[in-house]
Every structure is written in structure tokens, then in C-alpha cells.
Amino acid sequence: MIAVPTISILAADVAGSAPEINLHPIDYSILGIYILVVIGIGFVLKKYMKSSSDFFLSGKSIPVWVTGLAFLSANLGAQEVIGMAASGAKYGIMTSHFYWVGAIPAMIFLAIFMMPFYYGSRARSVPEYLKLRFDEKTRGLNAISFAVMTVASSGASLHALASLLHLLLKWDYNVSLAVSSLVVLAYVLKGGLTSAIYTEVLQFFLIVLGFAPLVILGLEDLGGWSGMMSHLKPEFAHSWKYMGTTANPMGVEWFGMVFGLGFVLSFGYWCTDFLVVQRAMAAKNMGDARRTPIIGAIPKMLFPIIVIVPGMIALVLAAKAGSNYSIPLGVTGATDYNLVIPSLIAHYLPTGMLGLALTALMASFMSGMAGNVTAFNTVWTYDIYQSYIGRGKSDSHYMWMGKASTVAGILISFAFAYMAKNVNNIMDFLQLVFGFVNAPVFATFLLGMFWKRATGHGAFFGLLLGTFAAIVFHGISYPEPLEVGAKIIGSKGGWLGIHYQFTSAMAQNFWLAIVAWTFCFVLTIAISLATSRTKTDGELVGLVYSLTDKIQEESEPLWKRPSVVGSVVLLVAIVLNIIFW
Amino acid sequence: MNFDLRLPIGILFTLFGLILVGFGIFTKGSEISLGHNINISWGIVLLVFGAFMLLLAKRGKNL
């Protein structure tokens, strides 16, 4: 998972000043219709689920506009909607780095250079690509760590949703947990990956159409775009200008931002995380698989309008005399930026529109959970069960296992949600561990796809040592300047002695990723050169760049060529960076 | 797979639009968005979007 700002809406927040929202039967009817439609889609799709390929890979038959929007929506869970609005209020327009630096270049790279190997190799999952390219142990390491991470993320999503509903609507935590799980289970169990992809597209339109009125009303209230920008502190109104100064609200300098976020973390997430790559692998053909990330990148570029601008509106509105609005406080008495979106919904939207916005919010949580569960059931069935436990079974058996693991995935998510509720900071700890594991991953894929000499031993031990380097770096760094004699909090770092002090946790995360990636990259090369190849050139055709025929695009019209459209999208992202410099 | 996603999207947003416009007319002038009857105005946006998706689904050609 990419190091996006995390959300932790804890039950304890009830004691803060969260907005209380009262729903009218009209609001409930909108929510009810949405739930009926998504479950209905699952039941309609059931008749198309005839083989394990249909259930896990959508039979590679999904239209490209659907896979493209699902590719974007798979990342459009609660973290994005609530977390990015919170960051908009904390960092202003600088939050756009998570889009124009931390997403678009990686999505274009995946489309042009990496999808030909994922799709062309006929691998059914990202871990399976590692098996074909390297060996079984490298696949096992990636598959097991990914499976654990997806169900933990699903549990975190479930916990955040139930906590938010309890906080805003006073719904019972356990009932919210059970109802949202059952809805997700109902449509994923019937329609598999296709259900998850289709509901992700529904959720995309819901979020755009549910939250756009917030932006329109907020900007009107503040006198338009120029009215809002004129009331922001200068460092909140520019994305790069204050990067090298002490006024920089993110506390991250140029290199950490460009290399840490823009390369290591974003390429590690968008190019290797099976949750998003799975959407592109469900496309009908190679051309559509390559176009999928590019189609997703176009709305992704514009999404800051929907998710970051509300945070900036909240910041200005709270300071505006007579606005009768303030960003709610958490239990500690400090401003709780995670409540920016819910508080703006309560402030601006009347009954009716309120139901639409809350349905969009709930859809983003449930869709995030469904995406994680479908990625989990595929990796569990193909990469763990079929490889190590139940080899040589029939296709119908693997389809049954896919459904059983869907139920198991939901139950494990449930357990993680209760852990998050009852064990202090458990999700912070898990996210830290996942950060250690994820940081070096892209180095392995980069060398695997573009250097035929990389070996299985090099990949496996490079990954392990990269993770070890991340752990050690966490132990010798600290996310804030520390005064002499001040108490060190081990979960923040410094438990091996403080050698590097950063100005923010974000800067520490970005540098941890840089260190882990560099160690993995260098050590994979060194170990590969010291060990002999186990794969011949013939076995690596379709898996390594130099041994694979290049895809000829000349017969396609310009607007359908991934390299052309991708370059245009990248150019627009650069222009956006310059406009908001 | 012979299932067009534009059909459920069109149905969903047309229904949402009808509910919002209906409720907006029913509560016209009510004290319940900077004075705008946003249920009617945004309901119409949803209706147009829903109808557009239904039209695309009826045409049956992929985008």
C-alpha cells in the first residue's frame, strides 16, 4: 500500500465534537436503493461464473472503459476520500503531490512498459509473474505478505466505516460491521471479481456526483476559487514553491518527494500491487490491458478537485467570520482533520443530498473492502492453495475454494476490525510493518523485467535484505527533532539510537522507502551476479524486456496508442505541476 | 459477457434523480445549501446523467 495519509477514526472520537447527522427516510431510501442495486448486480452476474477464470479474472472479458475506471476506483477507498481531504486541510495544494507526482507517472509506466509482461505472460496474478520470472520461493514470499496485507486493509476499512457510522449517525458498531460485511459478501460471492469491478465503477460515479456539490457550494460560499486561494497561507496555495523552506507544511524536501514518493512508493504501489493490476489483467486483450491504467490516469489527474479542495475549503471556512463552521475536535482536544468531509456534508447538504453523499461515502468503504477481498481470494487460491496445499484439483474445486476463501477473507477482516477497535494502535503498527515489506518490492520487479541476469536467489534475498534495511533505518531515525533528554517513542523509530532526525513522519517514511529500495536493488544485483541463472533465455521470453518482441502500435489510430496517449497525460500532469507551482 | 454496466448505472442515477427532484419539489421553500434548492438542481443533473447512460446502453455499442 502506498504511504498515503492514514485515517484512524477511533471509537474514542465520540467524545470529541463530531457533527451529528440525522437521516430522513428519503436519505435511507437512497442508501437502500444503492445496496439493492449492487447486490442485484452480483445476482445477475452469477450465471456468468462458469469457471475459476470467470470468478477470479472476469474471464478476461471486461470492456476497457470499465477496467479503466475500476483501476482508479480500486484506489478510491476511504483512505482517499477522507484521508486526502484531511491532508488538503493540513497541507493545502501540496497534497496534489500524491496525484501528479505520486500516481500519474507510475500509471503511465505500468501501461507502456509493464502490462505487456503481466498480460502477455498469461500469469493469473502478480505473485505468479514472480514465479514465472524467478522461482517458487520469491512468489511465496510475495503472495503470503500480500494476502495478509489485503485482509488487514479490508479489516481497517471495515473498522473505519463502522466507527464513522457510530460517530455520525449513532449506529451500533457491531450492526454496522455485520451489515456492511454481508452486503460485500453477497455481491462478491455471486459475481466474483466482475462484481467487485462493476461496483467500483458505480462507486466512482457516486463519489464524483455525491461530493461535487460540496465543492460547488463551498467555493460559492468563499467567493469562488480566487476567494478561497486569497485566504490561504502562501505555502498552502503552492505545490513546489515552498518545498525547500521551513514554511513547507509537509516537512519533505525535493529529493524525498520526487524519489521517495514519485518513484519508490508510487511505482511500488501502482506497478506491483495486485489489487490494482488485477483490474488491467481483466481486460479483453493486450491493447485494452495497456490502455486501462491510462484511462484511469485521466480522471485521477482531476480528482484533487473532489478530494483535496474540500479540505482547503474547510480550512478557509473555519477561519471565516460568521461561518458557523469549525473543523471538529477529536478526543484529545486537537483538530481532527479526518472529520473534514463528514463535517462539510453536515454543514452544506440538506436532507436528500445528505443521503446521496453518505451513500457515496459508504460505497467507498465497501468497495475498498470488496477490492481487497477479491485480490485476497485470487492470491490465496492460485498462489498459495493451488501451489502448496491442493495441487492438481479440478477447476470447479478451485472455484469452490475461491468462494470459500471469500467467506474466510470477510471473517478475517472482521477479526482485524475488532483488533483495531480493541487493541490500541494495532493498525498503526501493522501499517508500519507493511511499509517495511512494501518499500523494496519495486526494485525486484524492475530488475526482473529489465535485466535478464537477475536470478531467483538474488530476488528473494534482495527482498528480504531490503525489508531488513527498512527495519534498521526505522530503528535509527526519528520523525521529529528531539530535545536532549526527551522520551523516545519506539513506534516512531529511534529504538536503535537516533542518527537521523526528520521534520515530519512523512519525510521519514519517504526516506525509509528510498533506503529499502536502494538496498534491495544493489543487493539483488550483487547476489544475482554471485549465483547462477536457473532460467534460460527461452524461458524468459514474454517476461523480460530485452527478450520479448516489442508491441507494434503503428496500425492503431493515434488516440488508441498507449505510448502516445500516455505521453499526453504525462505532459498534462507536468503542466498542472507548473500551474500550481 | 453479455451484461452492459451502463444499464444499472443509468437505472440507479435516474432513480436517485427522480427521488431528489420529487423531494425538492415537495420541500420547496423549506428552511432546510446557501438558499439553493439543491435537491432539484442536482437531481436534474443526476437525471440527465442517468438518462444518458440508459441511452448508451440502449444503443448497445461499447464506448
Side-chain angles (χ1 to χ4, degrees):
Chain A
M1 314 296 151
I2 199 167
V4 295
T6 56
I7 56 167
S8 54
I9 303 159
L10 301 174
D13 285 344
V14 174
S17 63
E20 192 167 337
I21 296 174
N22 295 307
L23 294 186
H24 182 277
I26 281 288
D27 301 316
Y28 282 111
S29 70
I30 289 173
L31 180 59
I33 287 170
Y34 172 75
I35 288 173
L36 284 177
V37 167
V38 294
I39 292 176
I41 287 174
F43 274 84
V44 170
L45 290 173
K46 186 187 172 195
K47 66 179 176 186
Y48 298 107
M49 299 297 121
K50 293 186 170 68
S51 69
S52 67
S53 170
D54 295 329
F55 189 78
F56 295 117
L57 305 169
S58 300
K60 290 189 183 286
S61 64
I62 306 285
V64 69
W65 72 274
V66 175
T67 55
L69 290 179
F71 184 89
L72 164 69
S73 301
N75 177 252
L76 194 56
Q79 275 192 331
E80 181 102 357
V81 177
I82 290 183
M84 287 298 172
S87 294
K90 280 197 282 191
Y91 311 123
I93 204 81
M94 265 193 182
T95 310
S96 64
H97 289 317
F98 284 100
Y99 293 79
W100 303 333
V101 175
I104 302 300
M107 292 163 91
I108 303 304
F109 185 83
L110 170 70
I112 295 174
F113 296 107
M114 293 179 74
M115 275 322 295
F117 303 116
Y118 284 138
Y119 198 89
S121 67
R122 313 306 292 172
R124 297 167 301 179
S125 67
V126 168
E128 190 166 58
Y129 170 82
L130 288 177
K131 184 208 169 187
L132 296 171
R133 172 60 188 88
F134 292 118
D135 56 17
E136 191 59 71
K137 64 180 181 295
T138 309
R139 184 253 283 267
L141 179 64
N142 184 260
I144 291 166
S145 60
F146 179 80
V148 173
M149 280 188 276
T150 49
V151 285
S153 293
S154 174
S157 207
L158 198 54
H159 168 64
L161 171 62
S163 299
L164 190 68
L165 293 177
H166 180 66
L167 185 64
L168 302 176
L169 306 172
K170 301 291 176 266
W171 289 5
D172 181 78
Y173 181 90
N174 302 308
V175 172
S176 300
L177 217 61
V179 170
S180 45
S181 300
L182 286 172
V183 171
V184 171
L185 182 64
Y187 69 78
V188 172
L189 204 55
K190 296 293 176 193
L193 176 65
T194 314
S195 263
I197 285 177
Y198 280 13
T199 50
E200 281 162 6
V201 175
L202 267 186
Q203 167 228 352
F204 167 80
F205 289 118
L206 253 181
I207 284 180
V208 172
L209 292 167
F211 291 154
L214 276 185
V215 178
I216 294 166
L217 289 170
L219 288 177
E220 184 184 335
D221 203 6
L222 300 175
W225 177 261
S226 56
M228 179 187 75
M229 294 299 272
S230 65
H231 286 90
L232 283 171
K233 286 194 283 187
E235 60 268 29
F236 280 68
H238 295 275
S239 59
W240 292 100
K241 189 176 177 183
Y242 293 89
M243 190 61 89
T245 70
T246 52
N248 173 356
M250 274 188 175
V252 183
E253 73 339 314
W254 282 79
F255 187 78
M257 183 62 74
V258 173
F259 195 69
L261 174 67
F263 180 67
V264 175
L265 285 168
S266 76
F267 280 65
Y269 174 73
W270 290 102
C271 300
T272 73
D273 193 310
F274 182 51
L275 175 60
V276 287
V277 174
Q278 188 178 24
R279 273 75 197 139
M281 291 169 87
K284 287 178 175 175
N285 52 53
M286 174 68 86
D288 282 357
R290 296 179 76 207
R291 281 185 277 273
T292 290
I294 295 173
I295 288 173
I298 296 168
K300 182 77 177 173
M301 263 191 310
L302 305 174
F303 237 74
I305 298 169
I306 297 289
V307 293
I308 296 176
V309 171
M312 295 159 68
I313 288 170
L315 195 62
V316 176
L317 192 64
K320 184 183 169 190
S323 73
N324 195 26
Y325 171 83
S326 60
I327 299 175
L329 305 178
V331 66
T332 59
T335 302
D336 188 347
Y337 290 102
N338 289 321
L339 292 173
V340 159
I341 283 279
S343 64
L344 282 177
I345 288 173
H347 184 74
Y348 280 126
L349 299 184
T351 297
M353 284 301 299
L354 185 65
L356 185 71
L358 280 175
T359 300
L361 202 57
M362 284 186 69
S364 76
F365 280 99
M366 290 197 289
S367 173
M369 186 182 170
N372 277 305
V373 168
T374 49
F376 168 78
N377 68 24
T378 306
V379 167
W380 164 263
T381 305
Y382 282 155
D383 293 300
I384 299 173
Y385 181 77
Q386 190 176 24
S387 299
Y388 306 115
I389 302 167
R391 290 180 183 166
K393 306 275 187 187
S394 67
D395 187 72
S396 59
H397 176 81
Y398 292 126
M399 189 160 155
W400 173 85
M401 178 50 69
K403 292 184 174 182
S405 60
T406 300
V407 177
I410 297 270
L411 290 174
I412 299 168
S413 303
F414 230 82
F416 270 111
Y418 277 109
M419 273 170 64
K421 183 172 187 274
N422 296 312
V423 183
N424 269 345
N425 299 326
I426 182 76
M427 282 302 167
D428 292 343
F429 174 73
L430 285 175
Q431 182 152 42
L432 186 66
V433 173
F434 297 161
F436 296 155
V437 174
N438 278 324
V441 165
F442 184 62
T444 305
F445 280 85
L446 193 65
L447 288 168
M449 285 187 178
F450 296 96
W451 188 45
K452 68 177 185 179
R453 184 66 183 79
T455 66
H457 289 324
F460 180 77
F461 291 107
L463 260 179
L464 282 182
L465 292 168
T467 300
F468 181 69
I471 295 169
V472 171
F473 186 79
H474 184 260
I476 60 173
S477 63
Y478 209 67
E480 57 203 45
L482 211 59
E483 291 174 10
V484 178
K487 188 173 181 291
I488 294 171
I489 301 168
S491 61
K492 290 182 174 182
W495 40 272
L496 289 174
I498 297 174
H499 296 272
Y500 300 98
Q501 292 185 29
F502 293 95
T503 49
S504 71
M506 200 180 286
Q508 184 196 29
N509 281 336
F510 290 178
W511 274 96
L512 182 145
I514 291 169
V515 168
W517 185 90
T518 306
F519 267 81
C520 180
F521 189 79
V522 171
L523 291 171
T524 299
I525 291 173
I527 296 168
S528 292
L529 292 173
T531 53
S532 55
R533 289 177 64 183
T534 53
K535 302 267 185 184
T536 63
D537 281 5
E539 290 174 296
L540 295 180
V541 171
L543 299 166
V544 177
Y545 189 78
S546 61
L547 300 172
T548 305
D549 290 339
K550 305 299 169 284
I551 293 173
Q552 302 302 319
E553 296 180 344
E554 285 70 23
S555 59
E556 298 269 22
L558 276 179
W559 63 275
K560 287 184 89 172
R561 294 182 196 175
S563 57
V564 173
V565 183
S567 301
V568 171
V569 170
L570 202 54
L571 193 65
V572 175
I574 291 168
V575 169
L576 284 169
N577 272 297
I578 293 168
I579 290 171
F580 291 98
W581 191 268
Chain B
M1 191 174 298
N2 190 21
F3 178 76
D4 193 337
L5 180 59
R6 289 169 295 193
L7 185 65
I9 292 175
I11 291 170
L12 184 72
F13 284 98
T14 302
L15 272 175
F16 283 172
L18 286 171
I19 288 171
L20 288 180
V21 170
F23 186 69
I25 292 168
F26 183 69
T27 54
K28 210 169 181 180
S30 162
E31 62 182 20
I32 64 168
S33 50
L34 312 179
H36 301 298
N37 189 330
I38 195 165
N39 280 330
I40 290 181
S41 50
W42 204 250
I44 290 170
V45 171
L46 297 188
L47 265 175
V48 170
F49 175 71
F52 175 66
M53 289 308 256
L54 287 174
L55 194 67
L56 286 176
K58 190 167 179 284
R59 274 180 52 199
K61 287 171 73 177
N62 256 326
L63 286 176

